[in-house]
Amino acid sequence: MMEQFATAYAYYRGGTSKAAIVKRSDLPPMRSDLDLDAWVLAVMGSPDRRQIDGLGGADPLTSKFAIVGPPTRPGADVDYTFLQVIPERATVTQDINCGNISAAIGPFAIDEGLVASRGPITSVRIHATNMGQIIHADVEVGEDGKARVLGSQRIDGVPGTGAPVRLDFRELAGGATGRLLPTGRVRDRLIVDGKEIEVSIVDLANLVCYVRAGDLGLAGTEDPLAMQANYELMQLCERVRLEAALLAGVAKDMESATRQPPSTPWLALVSAPRPWCDHATGEQHEAHECDIGTRLYARGGNVHKAYPGTGSACLGVASMLEGSVAYDLVSADAHASGTIRIGHPCGVLDVAAAIENQAGADPLVRRAAFVRTARRIADGRVYTAVDRLPWLSDSAAR
């Protein structure tokens, strides 16, 4: 009787995250999406805080999964489905995207022969199936036709340097709600615990609610682990996030939102530039290094240890929307340059953003671009015990 099922896979770092990536054609036989979730949980070792029996790294940033295959829509070179696995819960989420892992998809597709190498820079149009939209990736390619790994590009939160992967999320407006500005306004007011809080809700790459850190009693430079350890703060952040979910239309009412919290909006706490300590290195950053400071809270009391690529693209665009909570914190010089330097727990990330105002409609996003690096760490076969996969166990028994 077969006791383990083997699947071809590759393990990648994309930006400041890591994921197992599997070609769609290599997936094991399954009967439903529930079977897919069960298999992915087994691969990653969830539910278990340490994910000791799988590939997961005991942190949401290293508990990610991607499925890649031929395109299923016109104008795309490859399909990409992102799955977020919660380490300590039997939860697999497909209703968000990951910008950092998006950086690994172009290199993976080229190296696996899903996309033909075209010159020193190969452009890959990635159909992000979670959102149904296209991510544009420019990947440097070596003389051997493989994605380059070595280079001088440095990104904060990752040791060393690598070859740049340039991503543009300009087509990902309205992926969750159908509109860049789900409420039709650049600024709204929420009442939380009897207090009025100004927010801006923007849907670009992922749905994000922006609030001034000071309005929640924070400086905006706090260490993410210290924030997570503050139970009252996490509860407050979740209440603000769920109120924003109601306003954005992704939750029907507070009772259902509390019972089954939506994955988004994320809650981004933004602040004017000020000095902060690097979470990864302990290095001191000066205020002049960034144009806006931010910390990002996600469902389940998770505070991002660096900053998500999708959240960065969204914040770059939000910072260009006149009247938004983020816009007010950024200098006129930064607006004029078209590049927003985002200060996050592990350093600084630059986003090139441009919008075009339209009469009677949401602004049109012309650019939402940033640079990441990516690297294949391992490949081969990943094994899953069939007692975690009853449909495969039943087949083996027969």
Side-chain angles (χ1 to χ4, degrees):
M1 175 181 171
M2 176 179 68
E3 294 191 355
Q4 294 209 94
F5 190 89
T7 305
Y9 88 110
Y11 196 63
Y12 267 79
R13 177 189 60 78
T16 53
S17 294
K18 291 193 289 188
I21 305 179
V22 171
K23 288 193 288 188
R24 192 165 62 218
S25 59
D26 289 332
L27 289 173
M30 297 176 192
R31 303 164 303 185
S32 67
D33 286 345
L34 291 177
D35 288 350
L36 174 62
D37 288 355
W39 176 70
V40 170
L41 288 166
V43 168
M44 302 308 290
S46 287
D48 173 44
R49 186 178 297 277
R50 295 190 300 151
Q51 293 181 309
I52 196 65
D53 202 35
L55 294 176
D59 187 285
L61 300 186
T62 53
S63 183
K64 301 186 177 191
F65 199 94
I67 299 169
V68 179
T72 57
R73 60 159 282 178
D77 297 311
V78 68
D79 272 8
Y80 151 57
T81 301
F82 172 72
L83 301 95
Q84 177 68 63
V85 181
I86 308 302
E88 65 273 20
R89 299 204 299 270
T91 302
V92 179
T93 298
Q94 289 192 40
D95 58 356
I96 59 174
N97 184 27
C98 176
N100 279 298
I101 297 305
S102 298
I105 303 307
F108 175 85
I110 292 168
D111 289 353
E112 293 292 328
L114 296 170
V115 173
S117 170
R118 298 180 291 270
I121 297 180
T122 296
S123 295
V124 183
R125 297 164 300 178
I126 302 166
H127 173 210
T129 64
N130 305 66
M131 302 296 172
Q133 296 163 310
I134 300 291
I135 299 168
H136 298 263
D138 287 340
V139 182
E140 292 190 358
V141 178
E143 294 181 359
D144 60 356
K146 300 294 186 180
R148 291 193 60 214
V149 172
L150 302 180
S152 60
Q153 182 67 49
R154 179 181 180 274
I155 64 171
D156 287 343
V158 177
T161 61
V165 178
R166 296 174 174 85
L167 299 170
D168 196 327
F169 285 16
R170 63 183 181 269
E171 292 192 32
L172 271 67
T177 65
R179 296 189 63 176
L180 175 67
L181 300 173
T183 69
R185 298 174 294 274
V186 294
R187 188 178 299 212
D188 288 283
R189 289 175 173 82
L190 302 177
I191 303 297
V192 179
D193 298 343
K195 179 183 177 182
E196 185 176 89
I197 298 175
E198 290 187 319
V199 301
S200 294
I201 304 174
V202 183
D203 185 358
L204 186 286
N206 269 316
L207 181 64
V208 184
C209 172
Y210 297 97
V211 59
R212 286 183 293 263
D215 287 351
L216 300 189
L218 300 171
T221 58
E222 287 79 5
D223 182 84
L225 293 183
M227 293 177 65
Q228 285 184 181
N230 186 333
Y231 177 79
E232 291 184 357
L233 173 62
M234 294 298 93
Q235 292 298 302
L236 173 59
C237 286
E238 183 68 1
R239 290 194 293 274
V240 175
R241 193 183 77 85
L242 293 183
E243 289 289 354
L246 295 178
L247 196 60
V250 295
K252 181 177 63 175
D253 53 54
M254 187 56 72
E255 180 182 355
S256 61
T258 303
R259 187 173 61 253
Q260 291 185 309
S263 299
T264 59
W266 291 335
L267 184 67
L269 314 175
V270 290
S271 61
R274 51 174 53 95
W276 77 101
C277 182
D278 194 294
H279 171 71
T281 67
E283 171 190 359
Q284 185 70 17
H285 294 281
E286 300 302 326
H288 64 78
E289 295 178 39
C290 71
D291 299 306
I292 188 169
T294 184
R295 298 293 183 267
L296 189 132
Y297 167 90
R299 181 182 65 178
N302 292 307
V303 180
H304 208 287
K305 312 307 183 299
Y307 213 69
T310 52
S312 301
C314 192
L315 180 51
V317 170
S319 297
M320 301 298 286
L321 294 168
E322 187 171 357
S324 76
V325 168
Y327 183 94
D328 289 350
L329 299 170
V330 174
S331 71
D333 288 345
H335 289 138
S337 74
T339 297
I340 305 298
R341 300 171 302 160
I342 298 170
H344 60 78
C346 283
V348 180
L349 194 159
D350 293 359
V351 177
I355 62 171
E356 179 182 326
N357 290 317
Q358 304 180 103
D362 288 353
L364 182 65
V365 178
R366 290 298 188 187
R367 197 173 190 202
F370 57 95
V371 177
R372 301 276 80 187
T373 62
R375 185 175 76 85
R376 183 180 292 231
I377 295 173
D379 56 28
R381 293 186 293 177
V382 59
Y383 290 85
T384 45
V386 296
D387 62 353
R388 294 285 303 270
L389 315 170
W391 71 98
L392 291 178
S393 181
D394 291 345
S395 298
R398 290 195 294 271

